[in-house]
């Protein structure tokens, strides 16, 4: 009985990244991060530094670790990723003093190193895609998955502006399944990227953030099979050794 419950709990942990927000509501978009796509994570790292590190830190990650893991040469690392620091061994701090940002936004922008593990990749992906115009909010926007968010829509130039579609508010679930219509939002002013390009842009950032949350993961996946082969060989050797010892004793 107890084993049964334990199994259920483990299964629950495994699917915790599924398309379910903490509140139990379905998320408008799902996203399966790809931390084997180096090019995408390189773009994500570049974009994160350019658009996010002004406010958010990633203080459990160092620049040279990113450089090694994502195969970014030191020169490029220094010239195009390191805006808030000069030493490659430094952790990624935000450019903004925590106290001041609390006054400006009412919230200190949280550290994002472990964000995709805390909220799930699909949540972060949905968050970055579902800012919409809301003039009742101090920052002029609201967010579908974080209602009342105090973060401005920092990617508006790329995405453009979305508004909430009144018709959907009654809950026409059937229409939500359509491609690019996962959220009841309508683009009313285009940005510099097409909706498809913006989707990929956000995907790159989420891939990078998923790497940042577990930088050892792809390395661990590589080590796993080798460790299994090693253990199997060891097992065979131990078995042969055991046979060897017992032969003398039996006769
Ligand atoms: C101008 C400052 C600023 C910039 C730039 C910024 N953010 Fe934020 N961000 C905030 C603030 C403030 C919050 C807190 C929102 C709240 O809790 O209401 C926040 C919250 C978040 C959260 C939700 C945290 C949580 O779990 O509640 C995520 C995810 C996030 N930001 C991602 C990003 C990403 C990715 C970028 C770059 C594309 C970015 N932010 C750029 C200020 C900023």
């Amino acid at each position: 009985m107890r084993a049964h419950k334990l199994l259920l709990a483990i299964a629950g942990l495994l699917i915790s990244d599924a398309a379910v927000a903490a509140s139990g509501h379905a998320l408008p978009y799902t996203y399966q991060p790809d931390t084997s796509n180096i090019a995408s994570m390189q773009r994500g790292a570049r974009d994160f530094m350019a658009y996010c590190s002004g406010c958010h830190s990633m203080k459990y990650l160092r620049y040279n670790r990113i450089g090694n893991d994502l195969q970014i040469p030191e020169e490029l690392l220094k010239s195009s990723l390191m805006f808030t620091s000069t030493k490659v061994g430094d952790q990624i701090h935000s450019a903004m003093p925590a106290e001041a940002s609390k006054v400006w936004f009412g919230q200190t922008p949280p550290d994002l190193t472990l964000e995709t593990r805390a909220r799930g990749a699909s949540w972060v992906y949905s968050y970055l895609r579902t800012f919409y115009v809301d003039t009742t909010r101090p920052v002029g926007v609201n967010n579908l998955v974080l209602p009342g968010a105090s973060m401005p829509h920092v990617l508006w130039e790329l995405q453009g502006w979305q508004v909430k579609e009144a018709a959907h508010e009654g809950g026409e679930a059937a229409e939500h399944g359509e491609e690019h219509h996962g959220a009841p939002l309508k683009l009313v002013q285009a940005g510099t990227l097409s909706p498809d390009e913006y989707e990929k842009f956000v995907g790159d950032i989420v891939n990078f953030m998923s790497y940042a949350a577990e930088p050892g993961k792809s390395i661990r996946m590589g080590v796993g099979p080798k460790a299994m082969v090693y253990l199997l060989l060891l097992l065979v050797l131990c078995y042969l050794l055991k046979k060897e010892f017992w032969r003398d004793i039996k006769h």
Side-chain angles (χ1 to χ4, degrees), residues 219-233:
I219 297 163
R220 221 169 41 234
M221 308 262 260
V223 168
K226 285 184 206 141
M228 292 302 286
V229 171
Y230 174 77
L231 286 174
L232 274 176
L233 277 176

Side-chain angles (χ1 to χ4, degrees), residues 27-247:
L27 289 169
Y29 302 109
T30 52
Y31 187 71
Q32 183 63 47
D34 180 1
T35 50
S36 64
N37 188 342
I38 299 270
S40 162
M41 290 185 292
Q42 287 174 338
R43 290 191 297 271
R46 176 197 64 196
D47 299 334
F48 184 91
M49 296 310 161
Y51 289 98
C52 320
S53 72
C55 293
H56 294 279
S57 58
M58 267 208 181
K59 60 184 177 206
Y60 303 109
L61 197 62
R62 292 172 194 278
Y63 292 101
N64 50 4
R65 171 90 210 228
I66 300 181
N68 286 340
D69 290 346
L70 304 188
Q71 300 161 22
I72 303 171
E74 193 168 317
E75 281 315 302
L76 197 62
L77 196 67
K78 279 187 174 155
S79 62
S80 57
L81 291 188
M82 294 174 52
F83 300 123
T84 57
S85 184
T86 50
K87 285 192 244 102
V88 290
D90 276 354
Q91 295 139 309
I92 300 159
H93 291 290
S94 84
M96 195 176 283
E99 283 307 309
S101 60
K102 183 142 197 187
V103 176
W104 293 331
F105 300 110
Q107 296 268 358
T108 301
D111 183 89
L112 293 182
T113 327
L114 303 174
E115 180 70 9
T116 56
R117 264 206 270 172
R119 293 275 203 183
S122 292
W123 189 91
V124 177
Y125 182 79
S126 296
Y127 177 69
L128 294 175
R129 284 186 60 185
T130 60
F131 281 95
Y132 63 90
V133 176
D134 181 349
T135 48
T136 65
R137 299 288 312 153
V139 281
V141 284
N142 210 329
N143 189 279
L144 279 190
V145 296
L146 189 66
S150 47
M151 175 172 140
H153 184 17
V154 297
L155 301 174
W156 71 269
E157 271 179 302
L158 306 178
Q159 185 185 30
W161 293 109
Q162 302 187 113
V163 295
K164 206 163 185 178
E165 279 185 292
H168 283 269
E169 276 182 278
E172 291 171 56
E175 285 186 37
H176 291 194
E178 287 172 40
E179 221 186 337
H180 306 318
H181 289 277
L185 298 176
K186 198 168 121 200
L187 196 65
V188 287
Q189 190 191 313
T192 53
L193 299 183
S194 71
D196 277 358
E197 287 167 340
Y198 184 72
E199 229 171 85
K200 294 206 183 73
F201 181 94
V202 170
D204 287 342
I205 290 192
V206 176
N207 282 347
F208 168 68
M209 289 175 68
S210 303
Y211 149 77
E214 259 179 301
K217 195 174 176 188
S218 41
I219 297 163
R220 221 169 41 234
M221 308 262 260
V223 168
K226 285 184 206 141
M228 292 302 286
V229 171
Y230 174 77
L231 286 174
L232 274 176
L233 277 176
L234 203 66
L235 188 72
V236 173
L237 277 175
C238 287
Y239 177 71
L240 292 176
L241 207 62
K242 181 205 145 209
K243 267 178 79 175
E244 184 66 27
F245 285 151
W246 282 91
R247 194 170 49 216

